Amino acid sequence: MINCKALLFDLDGTLLNTLVSLGNCFNRVLAEEGFPTHPIDAYRHFIGDGARQCVVRCLPEDMQNETIIERVLQRQQGDYQSNWDKDVTIYDGITELLANLKTQQIPIAVLSNKDHPFVQRCIDHFFPEDTFVAVQGYSKTIAHKPDPAGALSLVKHLNMVPGEVALIGDTSVDIKTANAAGMIGIGALWGFRDREELVNAGAHSVVTTPDEVLGLF
């Protein structure tokens, strides 16, 4: 059981299943640039630290120089502008979980390593208006997780203290962010990574399905 007053959600791998969408996007760009592509399942471990880091992980080691990384990143961002909603689904049970949290008047927000404009676009498209009290993605002023800046910004927006807020996500990055911010870290097993990674990162709790989240409160 946890004692908290608000819940922050990661986006990719927690609210939305974007594995196929992102994998196809990066593979299209890699193919256009003449680089080897990867099985979609490989992107479970490429995704999670922002688009630039995913580009680095996708490229052959001898091609990971700044010029190539930046060129591929710009092409990926251009492709994603047109395809951000393709092959994306809401995980089973998420809609019901969010509705129940709202009924219980537990504030919910989103913290993602995806660039902020894309985060906002996904939230506006896939979820009802006013589902979340705040949405925060990566920007020039908010560093990628596990830097706690984004989490602490949301805590301040909620007018709470970190110990009153839980962060749920599917990767060690999310758990490390929660720990760095002094928050409660909850691992989500329906996403891209496994229990061992989440436990080793220091998760307070690990849940298998979205409906288990309510049982933590």
Side-chain angles (χ1 to χ4, degrees), residues 93-105 108 131 214:
I94 286 295
T95 299
E96 294 79 5
L97 170 60
L98 299 180
N100 283 327
L101 290 169
K102 197 171 184 67
T103 297
Q104 295 186 29
Q105 297 185 319
I108 51 179
T131 297
L214 287 175

Side-chain angles (χ1 to χ4, degrees), residues 75-95:
R75 292 197 69 160
Q76 185 273 332
Q77 294 286 282
D79 183 287
Y80 200 57
Q81 285 279 358
S82 301
N83 298 293
W84 60 273
D85 59 339
K86 303 294 192 304
D87 302 308
V88 177
T89 57
I90 303 173
Y91 282 106
D92 290 344
I94 286 295
T95 299

Side-chain angles (χ1 to χ4, degrees), residues 201-217:
H204 177 280
S205 303
V206 177
V207 288
T208 305
T209 59
D211 64 321
E212 291 179 16
V213 175
L214 287 175
L216 295 175
F217 289 82

Side-chain angles (χ1 to χ4, degrees), residues 152-180:
L152 293 174
S153 175
L154 287 172
V155 168
K156 184 177 181 181
H157 179 84
L158 294 167
N159 197 29
M160 296 182 182
V161 298
E164 296 176 327
V165 182
L167 169 59
I168 181 168
D170 66 305
T171 74
S172 59
V173 170
D174 300 302
I175 304 304
K176 290 175 181 177
T177 304
N179 292 337

